[in-house]
Amino acid sequence: MKITARDQQIFTAVMSLYCDSEGSPVASSKIAKQKGMVVCSATVRNVMARLEREGLLYSPHTSAGRVPTEAGFRYWFEEFFELTKVGAYWQPQQTQLVEFAHGLSQKYQVCCCVGLPQASSRLVFRVEVLGFDSMTWLVLLIDKAGQSHNICIRKPDNDTDALRYQFAAWMNTVFSQQTLIEGLYRMKAMANCAPPQCHDQLAQWTRELNQQLGTDNSIVVGERYLYQGLELEGELNIGVPFLHEVEDRLAFKNGISVLYANELNTLNIEDSLILSLPYFTEGEYQSRFCIICPVYAPIEAIIGEFSKIESFGT
């Protein structure tokens, strides 16, 4: 693609002016008035016509300004941003994920979909079993950082403190230094050495733990902005299925990746982008942080926010 330095300057001006939350066609006269732009409107028109021939811009109406094509967006992302280096191996806490999603959504009026950390991959360092109420025990599965996954299970009929202590000791043997998912497998394999009074309910407890620890989860913030901005009538499938499809397409890719919403079966909407960044816990992949926004959203500013995350959560 034969793009001169002046062409690039004008092209980036078009992209910045178009991606301002409005998405209006950009006129040559508006570009010529930009700070640092030392060219006249006629020169800008000639360059924009050349960029249109290259397939980077198009004019939606006669005598209208230009807007970027999909090829223009792809060229912009590939040539002007080092996306693979932004937020590489981000390791946030869950509270930071949620706060970051709410902050971005409110500031830029975009939709954020975030896969929550997978509990099943966490290492367990200690298990405690407490009497919760007259009907249940509270099982605390505590990781190295002192965070716990708290699960209530129904007490056995012959509940005593001694039995609870025995069960806690057995759970520590099963789970200590294991991931939660491996601990669930070991509960089944080591069932015969559990306290005899617990055998009748062990299968039920294992099933309850598996259901609560092994399921995928996500949060969606600012969905209304997406519906309002695109004037959508039908319901969108944003959540775990969406995250799974994004991950299928972006497996092993670090840093920010860009997808077009019409490429995904779970969305299949026009004029929208997905900015997606994976995150990790102790070097192990967890899930993805995704922003779904119209193509005219303030993309440069949003990428700038992602660039800042390297200063926290690592």
Side-chain angles (χ1 to χ4, degrees):
M1 193 173 292
K2 298 178 181 179
I3 302 294
T4 67
R6 177 179 289 175
D7 293 348
Q8 287 189 343
Q9 184 185 24
I10 292 173
F11 175 69
T12 55
V14 172
M15 298 304 299
S16 296
L17 290 168
Y18 179 76
C19 297
D20 63 351
S21 300
E22 298 295 332
S24 301
V26 180
S28 57
S29 57
K30 191 172 184 180
I31 291 178
K33 294 176 183 178
Q34 293 296 296
K35 184 178 180 180
M37 194 71 66
V38 287
V39 291
C40 64
S41 295
T43 300
V44 174
R45 283 195 296 273
N46 290 335
V47 171
M48 292 173 77
R50 186 159 58 250
L51 293 171
E52 188 169 0
R53 290 194 296 272
E54 292 287 351
L56 302 181
L57 303 178
Y58 77 97
S59 180
H61 308 290
T62 304
S63 300
R66 265 66 167 200
V67 300
T69 63
E70 185 171 309
F73 272 102
R74 293 187 187 277
Y75 177 76
W76 191 45
F77 287 125
E78 291 171 3
E79 298 295 327
F80 295 90
F81 301 98
E82 292 186 300
L83 295 180
T84 58
K85 296 181 180 179
V86 176
Y89 294 102
W90 182 30
Q91 299 194 68
Q93 299 295 322
Q94 183 168 331
T95 54
Q96 291 174 324
L97 281 172
V98 176
E99 290 171 3
F100 192 44
H102 280 279
L104 283 177
S105 177
Q106 292 175 7
K107 186 173 182 178
Y108 298 105
Q109 298 190 346
V110 294
C111 177
C112 297
C113 181
V114 186
L116 296 181
Q118 294 302 297
S120 59
S121 65
R122 298 288 182 87
L123 278 174
V124 177
F125 279 74
R126 187 175 79 257
V127 181
E128 294 181 8
V129 182
L130 308 176
F132 185 67
D133 56 28
S134 61
M135 300 294 292
T136 56
W137 283 345
L138 178 64
V139 179
L140 309 180
L141 299 155
I142 304 169
D143 63 19
K144 185 178 181 180
Q147 297 181 335
S148 66
H149 302 284
N150 305 335
I151 309 296
C152 283
I153 59 176
R154 181 175 289 275
K155 290 180 177 180
D157 295 334
N158 53 347
D159 170 46
T160 63
D161 286 342
L163 176 59
R164 179 165 54 82
Y165 297 147
Q166 290 177 26
F167 180 69
W170 178 77
M171 288 286 283
N172 272 287
T173 301
V174 170
F175 276 91
S176 182
Q177 307 299 317
Q178 306 292 329
T179 64
L180 288 169
I181 194 66
E182 181 62 28
L184 292 172
Y185 293 143
R186 286 164 61 88
M187 280 186 73
K188 298 175 184 177
M190 300 172 64
N192 289 337
C193 63
Q197 301 94 322
C198 297
H199 283 183
D200 290 344
Q201 290 179 267
L202 198 57
Q204 176 187 343
W205 292 341
T206 304
R207 185 167 58 253
E208 290 174 357
L209 286 167
N210 188 68
Q211 289 173 346
Q212 296 185 59
L213 297 174
T215 55
D216 292 331
N217 201 1
S218 67
I219 60 168
V220 179
V221 181
E223 195 172 2
R224 67 185 184 279
Y225 296 130
L226 192 62
Y227 282 89
Q228 292 170 358
L230 298 174
E231 299 181 355
L232 299 173
E233 297 180 358
E235 196 75 16
L236 294 177
N237 189 10
I238 302 174
V240 172
F242 160 76
L243 289 168
H244 284 174
E245 188 174 8
V246 170
E247 180 52 41
D248 287 343
R249 290 178 176 270
L250 300 178
F252 309 116
K253 290 186 178 180
N254 201 0
I256 291 181
S257 297
V258 180
L259 290 172
Y260 293 84
N262 59 7
E263 298 179 285
L264 303 182
N265 294 326
T266 47
L267 290 185
N268 194 25
I269 51 177
E270 300 293 332
D271 300 324
S272 294
L273 295 172
I274 299 156
L275 304 177
S276 179
L277 178 70
Y279 68 89
F280 301 77
T281 298
E282 297 182 354
E284 183 175 339
Y285 170 78
Q286 293 297 313
S287 189
R288 283 187 169 272
F289 189 112
C290 295
I291 292 180
I292 311 166
C293 59
V295 293
Y296 50 79
I299 294 168
E300 287 179 284
I302 293 171
I303 292 175
E305 298 286 349
F306 275 103
S307 298
K308 298 174 187 176
I309 65 176
E310 296 179 3
S311 64
F312 66 86
T314 55

